[in-house]
Amino acid sequence: MTMSLSGKTVLITGAAGGLGSAIAMQCAGLGADLILLDKNRRGLGELSDEIDARGLTPPGLYPLNLAAAGVDDFNALVDTIKTEFNGLDALVHCAVDFDSLQPLEQVQPQDWLQSMQVNVNAPWLLSCALLPLLKNSGNGRLFFLLDDLETVTDAYWGAYGTAKAALTGMVRQFDATLNHTSVSVRGIIPGPMRTSFRAKVYHAENPMEQPEPAITAQKITTMLSDDLADTDLIVNFSD
């Protein structure tokens, strides 16, 4: 059976990043109506141009800095989706805040708070704001990008590692809360990819040794249309 997302509306945060943009391209190719959210206006514009150049449906662009976003900003996004799109079928959280590895006691307070805002608070606020639309979808998908906790809760991972641990707990709580609704929750550990994020962590690594984000993006996009009954709550693509 040919996979299709025609008639489905998908919101991707961090859409200008390596994995976010790859998911966007995959979804666009399958006919999805896209809402692409990122603080990087130029990156969003370039991604939109690439989608348009392939003759695909132009995405909706929503520039927003999650580090400074609050309840009113997310409520405004909900209003925009209600006005401009026919509901919402999937929310994929790809946005991430990470600066560098460093000892926990050396993390600056403002950097810690920003990481928690982008990596934990914003996904919670945005998910809660959009849950009514996802429930109305009849087959809503709520996906969070996680990381290997044995790695990121080790030394030097700082606020990012703490945030990913918290986000994993949030995924479990959302799943337990929504398991009697039509919304499917999944946490996804993408594994190593050739991205700017990985380059910040593994400086000495040859990036060409890692797979393109498009490979993982295809797996995630498949999950947006497939029956998820036989998949685990936490899907680890690095296994």
Side-chain angles (χ1 to χ4, degrees):
M1 183 176 63
T2 303
M3 186 170 61
S4 173
L5 291 174
S6 179
K8 301 292 187 181
T9 301
V10 180
L11 169 59
I12 303 169
T13 72
L19 181 58
S21 60
I23 295 173
M25 292 303 304
Q26 295 276 352
C27 289
L30 294 173
D33 294 318
L34 291 176
I35 307 167
L36 305 181
L37 186 153
D38 202 290
K39 66 180 180 181
N40 184 351
R41 292 175 177 266
R42 180 175 179 178
L44 285 178
E46 291 174 349
L47 177 57
S48 179
D49 290 344
E50 185 176 356
I51 291 173
D52 185 59
R54 297 189 184 187
L56 303 173
T57 302
L61 304 183
Y62 204 89
L64 182 64
N65 184 359
L66 294 178
V71 175
D72 290 343
D73 298 290
F74 296 127
N75 287 339
L77 173 57
V78 173
D79 291 339
T80 298
I81 294 174
K82 288 179 178 178
T83 302
E84 303 294 335
F85 295 87
N86 186 26
L88 184 68
D89 300 285
L91 169 57
V92 184
H93 290 285
C94 291
V96 65
D97 181 88
F98 176 84
D99 184 26
S100 63
L101 297 176
Q102 57 183 314
L104 194 62
E105 70 272 16
Q106 294 182 12
V107 178
Q108 294 301 304
Q110 66 270 22
D111 295 334
W112 177 277
L113 294 174
Q114 175 172 303
S115 181
M116 290 299 166
Q117 170 64 19
V118 175
N119 297 326
V120 181
N121 299 339
W124 171 66
L125 288 168
L126 184 55
S127 297
C128 291
L130 292 172
L131 269 177
L133 295 180
L134 292 175
K135 290 178 180 178
N136 287 339
S137 164
N139 192 23
R141 303 293 164 98
L142 179 58
F143 290 177
F144 298 82
L145 269 294
L146 305 178
D147 213 324
D148 176 29
L149 292 187
E150 288 191 11
T151 298
V152 301
T153 56
D154 205 348
Y156 306 114
W157 284 89
Y160 172 83
T162 303
K164 286 300 181 181
L167 195 63
T168 302
M170 188 190 304
V171 168
R172 298 189 184 282
Q173 289 198 49
F174 268 129
D175 178 64
T177 303
L178 299 171
N179 63 2
H180 295 302
T181 73
S182 60
V183 179
S184 297
V185 180
R186 289 295 182 274
I188 300 169
I189 301 173
M193 295 178 292
R194 195 184 309 165
T195 61
S196 58
F197 167 78
R198 187 170 179 86
K200 289 181 179 180
V201 179
Y202 301 98
H203 304 286
E205 179 181 83
N206 180 1
M208 300 306 293
E209 295 178 352
Q210 302 304 328
E212 289 280 4
I215 297 174
T216 299
Q218 184 176 27
K219 297 176 182 179
I220 295 173
T221 304
T222 298
M223 291 174 61
L224 290 174
S225 60
D226 277 4
D227 182 1
L228 298 179
D230 294 329
T231 63
D232 295 330
L233 173 59
I234 307 298
V235 179
N236 190 344
F237 290 139
S238 63
D239 289 342

